[in-house]
Amino acid sequence: MGRAVLISLLLVLPLLGCGSREAAPTGPDPQRVERLARGVNLAHAFTASSDGPPVWNVGAQDYALIRGLGLRHVRTLIELGLIIDPGSEDGLNAAAVIELHRVIKEANRAGLMFVLALQLDDASKQRLAVDSTARQRLVTLWQVLAKALAAIPPDDLLFELLNEPTVEDAIIVQSLMAQLVAAVREVAPRHTLVVTGPHFSDAQNLLQLQPLADPNLVYSFHFYEPHNFTHQGANWGWSMWRQLHNLPYPSSPEAVAPVLDTLTADARPHAEWYGQERWNRDRLAAPIMQVAEWGRRHKLQIWCSEFGVYRYYVNERYRSAWLRDVRELLESGGIAWTHWDYANGFGLASGEPGERKADVATVQALGLMP
């Protein structure tokens, strides 16, 4: 045997051995997929403190309630400003990272997988659309953050790379997602990562995303259709939502007619249009089943990481009907889901921290244990 051939074999054999010991994954670990099937968001769970790390306002009682309902995971948005420290060596707030470790492990001990989703303010997101330097800073940040949390077992923690990019350019978001996945993979090779489409991560936005080469990914979208129903009375977003109250579901001109005289003149045409659109289970099914089919065609794990109805200005009967329809449609499409939210305006529970109680109508609509 020639010396060159011998050297070539010695180089190749270790690679063959590695491949035989651990085959390349074909998708997210089935155990993680199972735990992702049903969960709840913990919105605004982290709040800033004046002289220390972020304050976490969810505790053992909340985790017991969540797990007792049959939910298997929680999802939390962490705002960028709460975890960075430009003056530190790695750019992270060390106290905030320690607190993150603590709350993630507390959820894990309660039997809940933790999904950590990064949230940027609107101005920062818009910079991503026009500034390659801003995109690179985000990539670098994620690599540092993932490295700081990589010791947490992959079965207990998923990394969601960016909540609602708002950037409308699908090509830019496609490139950014690929960069983020590659960067995190260098420090967290086995953790499942969550990617999403452009704009506000609606169902049609996810369809604009080309599947990435990494198999250990979850593809996420949000579902709030129609927004005039799910966000009626909301004091953020589109100003007209503040003036829309008591809209029914399903919608039709006849169902909406009794409400029209109670609305402002500005809001009335929008309520009439909502009735004319005839939102019902079949109309909700169209975008959900389109995403489900897209996922099946590409052999991807699809996850609806947010869906819900703002509860303060809607009849509970209509809210429950919408939640039930959407939840059943997601499940019939094989789509994992996470309700928005746990204990705020969209919540499945109410009350002060440590004393929260589950809302029976919401629990029943979500098909959970009483």
Side-chain angles (χ1 to χ4, degrees):
M1 182 181 292
R3 184 171 182 273
V5 175
L6 178 59
I7 291 174
S8 297
L9 284 174
L10 290 174
L11 290 173
V12 170
L13 286 173
L15 297 177
L16 294 175
C18 289
S20 64
R21 284 196 300 268
E22 185 175 348
T26 58
D29 184 278
Q31 178 182 332
R32 295 172 214 170
V33 172
E34 181 182 354
R35 297 176 77 185
L36 195 64
R38 289 181 164 194
V40 67
N41 280 275
L42 302 178
H44 314 298
F46 268 114
T47 56
S49 64
S50 58
D51 57 355
V55 175
W56 180 251
N57 57 28
V58 177
Q61 184 267 355
D62 299 295
Y63 291 136
L65 189 157
I66 292 168
R67 190 67 189 93
L69 292 172
L71 298 169
R72 301 293 306 279
H73 72 271
V74 291
R75 173 180 181 261
T76 296
L77 302 182
I78 178 70
E79 294 181 14
L80 180 63
L82 295 179
I83 59 171
I84 61 171
D85 178 4
S88 69
E89 184 176 348
D90 61 2
L92 294 179
N93 182 316
V97 171
I98 292 172
E99 182 67 356
L100 265 178
H101 270 275
R102 185 190 70 79
V103 301
I104 292 170
K105 297 307 293 181
E106 185 178 22
N108 296 158
R109 285 193 296 271
L112 296 165
M113 187 170 68
F114 199 100
V115 183
L116 181 67
L118 187 63
Q119 172 76 323
L120 274 62
D121 60 69
D122 289 342
S124 296
K125 289 179 179 179
Q126 290 308 310
R127 280 195 291 273
L128 295 174
V130 297
D131 187 351
S132 60
T133 302
R135 295 194 289 272
Q136 185 55 52
R137 281 198 298 266
L138 180 60
V139 169
T140 302
L141 168 72
W142 249 119
Q143 192 166 45
V144 173
L145 179 59
K147 183 177 181 180
L149 299 173
I152 298 174
D155 287 340
D156 292 334
L157 174 64
L158 273 61
F159 296 126
E160 184 174 347
L161 303 176
L162 184 60
N163 178 63
E164 294 185 352
T166 75
V167 177
E168 295 188 40
D169 190 321
I171 294 176
I172 288 177
V173 173
Q174 177 84 35
S175 175
L176 177 61
M177 290 294 154
Q179 287 179 274
L180 290 168
V181 168
V184 174
R185 272 289 165 257
E186 293 182 12
V187 296
R190 295 176 53 240
H191 283 74
T192 298
L193 311 181
V194 180
V195 296
T196 191
H199 207 34
F200 286 101
S201 299
D202 292 333
Q204 63 269 26
N205 300 141
L206 182 58
L207 300 179
Q208 296 177 267
L209 191 69
Q210 296 297 316
L212 301 176
D214 191 311
N216 192 10
L217 300 179
V218 168
Y219 291 75
S220 166
F221 72 102
H222 296 171
F223 195 82
Y224 292 104
E225 299 292 344
H227 285 71
N228 281 352
F229 174 77
T230 62
H231 284 63
Q232 57 185 301
N235 60 2
W236 69 92
W238 188 36
S239 60
M240 188 53 61
W241 290 338
R242 295 169 172 80
Q243 301 180 49
L244 291 171
H245 296 169
N246 301 313
L247 296 182
Y249 171 82
S251 78
S252 67
E254 298 76 20
V256 167
V259 179
L260 297 179
D261 288 342
T262 69
L263 302 176
T264 65
D266 289 340
R268 208 166 295 139
H270 298 285
E272 290 177 333
W273 175 242
Y274 168 70
Q276 293 164 12
E277 288 184 299
R278 297 183 183 274
W279 282 97
N280 56 27
R281 184 186 178 98
D282 289 342
R283 180 147 189 182
L284 294 175
I288 292 174
M289 292 309 158
Q290 192 174 11
V291 170
E293 174 55 31
W294 180 79
R296 283 191 291 269
R297 186 167 67 251
H298 294 291
K299 297 180 172 59
L300 307 174
Q301 178 60 46
I302 308 298
W303 174 37
C304 181
S305 55
E306 291 186 18
F307 73 105
V309 179
Y310 192 56
R311 69 182 319 151
Y312 297 137
Y313 298 92
V314 62
N315 184 295
E316 188 62 46
R317 175 165 57 95
Y318 300 138
R319 178 175 180 265
S320 294
W322 186 95
L323 288 174
R324 181 176 293 105
D325 279 354
V326 172
R327 188 263 303 173
E328 290 178 351
L329 288 167
L330 292 170
E331 292 177 348
S332 69
I335 298 173
W337 58 257
T338 311
H339 178 254
W340 185 276
D341 180 26
Y342 172 55
N344 294 289
F346 288 76
L348 65 78
S350 58
E352 296 301 315
E355 301 177 353
R356 290 175 175 133
K357 304 292 184 184
D359 175 74
V360 174
T362 304
V363 166
Q364 290 176 343
L366 294 175
L368 303 175
M369 298 177 186

